[in-house]
Amino acid sequence: MLTYIIRRIIIAIPILFGVTILNFLIINLAPGSPVDIMIDPNLPPEALEAQKEALGLNDPFYIQYWTWLLNLFQGNLGYSLVTFQPVIDIISERLGPTILLMLSALIFGLLIAIPLGILSAIKQNSVIDYLATGGAFMGVSIPNFFLGLGLIYVFSLQLGVLPSGGMHTIGAESSFWDTALHFVLPVIVLATAIAGKKIRYVRSSMIETLGQDYLRTARAKGLKETIVVNKHALRNALIPIITVIGLEIPLLFAGAVVTEQIFSWPGIGQLTISSIMSRDYTTLMGLNLIAAFIVLFSNLITDIAYTIVDPRIKFQ
């Protein structure tokens, strides 16, 4: 297992380099520069050019990338072109809230999707199946921003039982209960999309597995249906489910961008939007590197999960 992980890390290194080159090229091809945002447009062109020269924005593409790469090798992602703070410090402050939000939404969504998907497969073509399938389609169809705004209108503006945004109440002492209340709405938004997609995957995977010969044999031996479903069917149906869960992590990271902006959540998503608006190239490069790392890491965790669920799968 350790050999496999090392080999995957070695393969991931050139992929990360390729991603950084592509991202750097796209960012530098975008029109405008951070100077256009920072400086009064009424200033003479000479002042603007002097500021661009000081920030290294007039250097050729390969020089800018090489400078950024040298900083990366030293454990430094550079400095923000807007706030002039170390990028690694800015991202570190925002990464924790985003990971906490993503994991909460993922766990909550799976706790809904897996039981409903199993029940829907067992009770195929029943009222429960139709309700679960209909709810799944609704969860997939409703956009994050629309659901988020709707929840804010109902629970924050009309009922006043939940906060509309942020991670803590401004001016109040931070507490677990206060943070938990701020978690509810953004977690519901992200978990709804996750549950909607995963219910269908769990249902189809379980239906396929329940029709296998070895399960009919298990029933013929007199095993209880709960044992047949939970011990034998679910374990074998988890392989494709784990695959889509692994693919969900990068999508969840992307979905958090919209959700965090709606709920003013102080995470990576909100930082990404603000960096794009201010054309903060160095911060965007750091964020893209983190996103690429999350994608590769989620693929590695998915492969490891395969061997845990099914011992017949071996690392090659």
Side-chain angles (χ1 to χ4, degrees):
M1 179 176 177
L2 181 59
T3 304
Y4 174 79
I5 293 176
I6 294 174
R7 187 163 64 245
R8 286 293 298 268
I9 292 175
I10 294 174
I11 295 174
I13 291 175
I15 295 176
L16 284 174
F17 277 120
V19 169
T20 58
I21 293 174
L22 182 60
N23 286 333
F24 202 88
L25 180 61
I26 293 174
I27 289 174
N28 279 269
L29 287 177
S33 72
V35 175
D36 300 331
I37 304 296
M38 293 185 298
I39 297 181
D40 186 349
N42 296 322
L43 289 177
E46 294 79 9
L48 297 177
E49 287 300 319
Q51 185 66 19
K52 289 181 181 180
E53 187 68 29
L55 294 175
L57 298 176
N58 289 333
D59 295 336
F61 163 78
Y62 58 89
I63 297 295
Q64 294 185 48
Y65 178 75
W66 181 248
T67 302
W68 180 85
L69 198 60
L70 289 178
N71 289 329
L72 179 63
F73 286 147
Q74 298 172 9
N76 177 18
L77 294 177
Y79 292 86
S80 168
L81 298 178
V82 176
T83 64
F84 303 106
Q85 293 177 289
V87 171
I88 193 168
D89 291 344
I90 298 174
I91 295 178
S92 298
E93 293 176 358
R94 301 294 192 105
L95 191 59
T98 292
I99 291 178
L100 194 58
L101 179 63
M102 288 171 54
L103 289 179
S104 301
L106 183 61
I107 293 172
F108 187 61
L110 293 179
L111 288 177
I112 296 173
I114 293 178
L116 281 180
I118 294 173
L119 189 61
S120 180
I122 296 173
K123 305 291 185 180
Q124 190 177 0
N125 298 324
S126 66
V127 176
I128 295 176
D129 183 24
Y130 293 141
L131 289 175
T133 304
F137 278 112
M138 288 184 61
V140 173
S141 303
I142 300 176
N144 283 5
F145 72 89
F146 183 80
L147 179 59
L149 293 175
L151 292 176
I152 290 174
Y153 177 77
V154 174
F155 292 100
S156 299
L157 299 181
Q158 296 299 317
L159 300 179
V161 294
L162 291 172
S164 61
M167 192 172 178
H168 305 288
T169 301
I170 298 176
E173 184 178 353
S174 178
S175 65
F176 173 79
W177 179 247
D178 181 60
T179 304
L181 289 176
H182 285 78
F183 254 90
V184 174
L185 294 185
V187 167
I188 288 177
V189 170
L190 291 175
T192 298
I194 295 172
K197 288 181 285 187
K198 298 304 170 285
I199 286 174
R200 296 185 298 165
Y201 281 115
V202 174
R203 178 183 182 274
S204 61
S205 183
M206 282 295 295
I207 289 175
E208 181 180 355
T209 305
L210 288 171
Q212 298 297 319
D213 292 337
Y214 67 89
L215 290 182
R216 285 193 287 267
T217 303
R219 292 190 182 97
K221 289 181 178 180
L223 293 178
K224 293 182 179 180
E225 188 65 18
T226 54
I227 297 178
V228 172
V229 172
N230 297 327
K231 184 177 180 180
H232 297 286
L234 180 59
R235 192 178 185 90
N236 287 278
L238 279 177
I239 297 297
I241 296 172
I242 289 175
T243 302
V244 296
I245 291 175
L247 295 174
E248 185 66 35
I249 295 176
L251 295 176
L252 185 60
F253 185 82
V257 173
V258 177
T259 304
E260 288 184 7
Q261 188 69 14
I262 293 173
F263 292 99
S264 300
W265 190 261
I268 294 295
Q270 194 180 47
L271 177 62
T272 301
I273 296 296
S274 63
S275 299
I276 293 173
M277 297 299 293
S278 61
R279 299 169 187 172
D280 191 351
Y281 297 156
T282 51
T283 302
L284 284 175
M285 282 298 299
L287 291 170
N288 288 328
L289 182 64
I290 295 296
F293 177 80
I294 289 176
V295 171
L296 295 173
F297 181 74
S298 63
N299 289 334
L300 177 60
I301 294 299
T302 301
D303 290 344
I304 295 175
Y306 287 152
T307 63
I308 296 175
V309 172
D310 191 348
R312 295 172 300 177
I313 300 177
K314 303 295 182 183
F315 291 114
Q316 299 294 330

